[in-house]
Amino acid sequence: MMDLILRLRNRPLKMIAWLVIGAISFLLVASPALAQSTGSSVGFNPQDLLRSALQWIESVGIIGGIAFIAIYIIATVAFLPGSILTLGAGVVFGVLLGAVYVFVGATLGAIAAFLVGRYLARGWISKKIEGNQKFAAIDKAVAKEGFKIVLLTRLSPVFPFNLLNYAFGITGVSLRDYALGSVGMIPGTIMYVYIGSLAGDLARIGTESQPTNPTIQWAIRIIGFIATVAVTVYVTRIARKALAEKVDT
């Protein structure tokens, strides 16, 4: 995230162009079922692991919601694909409860990863930017607009959720703004949980046989595209303004 902001100093228009192109490509080829997933590897398939966890949650009854939230937190911190859990919540809990459990689990998991990134890496980053006044100026400016930036990136599926949690931890964004910005996950959460509920069977989650809803798919893509362009332009403007103020002082 900080490296991205630093690059804005010399190439804002080029960056906007590339991110817009990337967003358009995402709109054309992305599938909601794979939006946050990672490929399987030999000997370890995180999707199968999480699918098994969902089957266990489905069997434990009333404590299933608490167990689901706990597993979602662990998965977020451990960089496991959250799409399987989000889609599976629609099957196990239904749309309403599933969306609530996903939002709570994703938010707490994101906060946990943010804190790990901040307290394990922020000190080191702070020492590095002490000798780079322009970098520090951008970091400070972004921190002031933390809520808006986090909100916009949460609305956009182009920014990887798990990685972004750690990246924000090494910026000057406050924990309060970061946590409040999580409300940006609500639209996508509801849509993905709903899509998952259409499957009706955990075995179909994340597979080619999973039912989809074209209207919901395009709603996700359009919201994501708008948010991607907005956050790119917004961060660019903030960075350029911070640098201009630094030069004037």
Side-chain angles (χ1 to χ4, degrees), residues 22-37:
I24 293 173
S25 298
F26 174 84
L27 296 179
L28 295 177
V29 303
S31 168
L34 301 176
Q36 299 177 23
S37 62

Side-chain angles (χ1 to χ4, degrees), residues 9-152:
R9 177 169 56 118
N10 298 319
R11 296 182 294 177
L13 295 179
K14 185 176 180 180
M15 174 169 289
I16 292 173
W18 276 111
L19 283 179
V20 170
I21 291 172
I24 293 173
S25 298
F26 174 84
L27 296 179
L28 295 177
V29 303
S31 168
L34 301 176
Q36 299 177 23
S37 62
T38 58
S40 59
S41 58
V42 176
F44 176 70
N45 189 323
Q47 294 193 25
D48 286 344
L49 176 66
L50 295 176
R51 195 176 287 110
S52 296
L54 285 167
Q55 291 172 343
W56 172 77
I57 289 171
E58 193 174 29
S59 69
V60 297
I62 194 170
I63 65 170
I66 297 175
F68 177 86
I69 292 172
I71 291 173
Y72 209 112
I73 293 171
I74 295 171
T76 300
V77 175
F79 273 81
L80 295 180
S83 61
I84 295 297
L85 290 174
T86 302
L87 293 166
V91 177
V92 177
F93 304 110
V95 178
L96 180 59
L97 278 180
V100 171
Y101 291 151
V102 168
F103 178 72
V104 172
T107 300
L108 294 179
I111 290 173
F114 174 89
L115 293 175
V116 171
R118 169 143 301 182
Y119 291 106
L120 292 184
R122 178 62 187 174
W124 179 79
I125 294 295
S126 296
K127 292 179 181 179
K128 291 294 182 181
I129 67 176
E130 284 177 354
N132 190 324
Q133 294 182 341
K134 291 181 178 179
F135 193 104
I138 293 173
D139 185 36
K140 184 177 180 180
V142 169
K144 292 180 180 179
E145 303 294 337
F147 170 74
K148 295 178 183 177
I149 294 173
V150 175
L151 179 68
L152 289 171

Side-chain angles (χ1 to χ4, degrees), residues 2-12 15 138:
M2 293 309 305
D3 181 61
L4 171 73
I5 296 171
L6 186 59
R7 290 171 185 268
L8 293 174
R9 177 169 56 118
N10 298 319
R11 296 182 294 177
M15 174 169 289
I138 293 173

